[in-house]
Amino acid sequence: VSARNPPPESAKLNILLSREVVAIAKKGELIEVTMKDGEVMQADYVISTLPLGVLKTGTPTFDPPLSVSKTDAIERLAFGNVAKISILFESAWWASKITVDWFGITRSGETARGLSTQYVNMHKVAGKPVLMTFAVGPAADAVDGMSDAAVWNATLANLKVIFGESVPPSTYKAITVQRWGTDPYARGCYSHHSTTSQGSDYAAMGSDEYGGGVLFSGGGTGET
């Protein structure tokens, strides 16, 4: 809906889900957004929160092309990978032994040191018997190709080292592994400087395009 013809104040905000954007273009004074299914919407302003990993693929397309400073920043800045692992148990079996928010273990080996070595005590935060852990660095890339069962086995091995062989249960109620590296709408997470990036690249990522018609926000648009 164009702001030049705004809906009545009583109208509810219409949030459209599962709409993949394939093109963003400036059409006169308006910004035109084209969906994968061919639907076209026009607006006065567009706010893009596309992850850097998605922008690096060249999709959606921008017409006219984005400024050189922004395309250079997209190319130069690096984009990492992290997998988040959330495990729901029947009970918070660790609660009597761990009262802190974070705890962990150190491991040797390029992959092992980043796989399920840090834990967040979600029971303390949310009141649910959940432990959240992560895979970072090379371990995140490894988890992208692992089954949930394999991830659990690696996690269980570390929990046994922390709490003792007989303390952690051998089964869980549910497990969710968020593999952002293989998610086509994320393609990783956490932007960072590369050996070729410049100090001004983050500012370029957060700058607007088309005279303020397209605004950029989210990860990769600021140093903090």
Side-chain angles (χ1 to χ4, degrees):
V1 176
S2 170
R4 290 176 173 78
N5 297 286
E9 292 185 4
S10 60
K12 293 183 178 180
L13 181 63
N14 185 22
I15 300 176
L16 304 178
L17 303 177
S18 301
R19 302 292 184 91
E20 182 177 344
V21 175
V22 296
I24 298 174
K26 180 172 175 57
K27 299 291 184 179
E29 295 184 355
L30 298 177
I31 306 299
E32 189 173 272
V33 177
T34 303
M35 315 295 178
K36 187 175 183 179
D37 62 6
E39 181 182 3
V40 176
M41 300 181 68
Q42 288 188 330
D44 293 308
Y45 304 97
V46 167
I47 300 175
S48 168
T49 58
L50 292 167
L52 176 60
V54 173
L55 291 171
K56 282 181 174 292
T57 68
T59 302
T61 60
F62 289 85
D63 182 27
L66 296 173
S67 62
V68 173
S69 61
K70 190 178 295 289
T71 56
D72 284 351
I74 291 170
E75 181 179 352
R76 285 191 296 252
L77 287 170
F79 204 51
N81 189 17
V82 174
K84 184 169 73 173
I85 305 155
S86 301
I87 307 170
L88 173 67
F89 295 93
E90 291 290 346
S91 64
W93 50 267
W94 62 90
S96 62
K97 301 177 181 296
I98 292 290
T99 58
V100 296
D101 296 331
W102 285 74
F103 61 94
I105 183 176
T106 57
R107 299 292 256 179
S108 62
E110 189 175 58
T111 298
R113 69 184 181 185
L115 177 52
S116 298
T117 56
Q118 304 175 61
Y119 295 85
V120 182
N121 183 2
M122 296 303 295
H123 180 254
K124 185 177 180 182
V125 176
K128 301 290 184 181
V130 173
L131 285 178
M132 185 169 66
T133 184
F134 308 90
V136 299
D141 296 333
V143 164
D144 283 342
M146 294 169 63
S147 66
D148 288 357
V151 173
W152 162 246
N153 288 335
T155 303
L156 179 59
N158 284 346
L159 290 173
K160 287 181 176 181
V161 173
I162 296 172
F163 293 99
E165 187 72 22
S166 62
V167 175
S170 59
T171 59
Y172 54 83
K173 190 173 182 180
I175 185 171
T176 299
V177 182
Q178 293 177 301
R179 298 174 175 86
W180 286 305
T182 55
D183 184 340
Y185 303 115
R187 299 186 181 275
C189 59
Y190 294 111
S191 63
H192 58 91
H193 278 292
S194 70
T195 56
T196 60
S197 60
Q198 300 177 2
S200 60
D201 284 344
Y202 276 103
M205 288 295 299
S207 63
D208 61 74
E209 297 282 332
Y210 307 159
V214 178
L215 305 160
F216 290 80
S217 184
T221 59
E223 300 245 22
T224 58

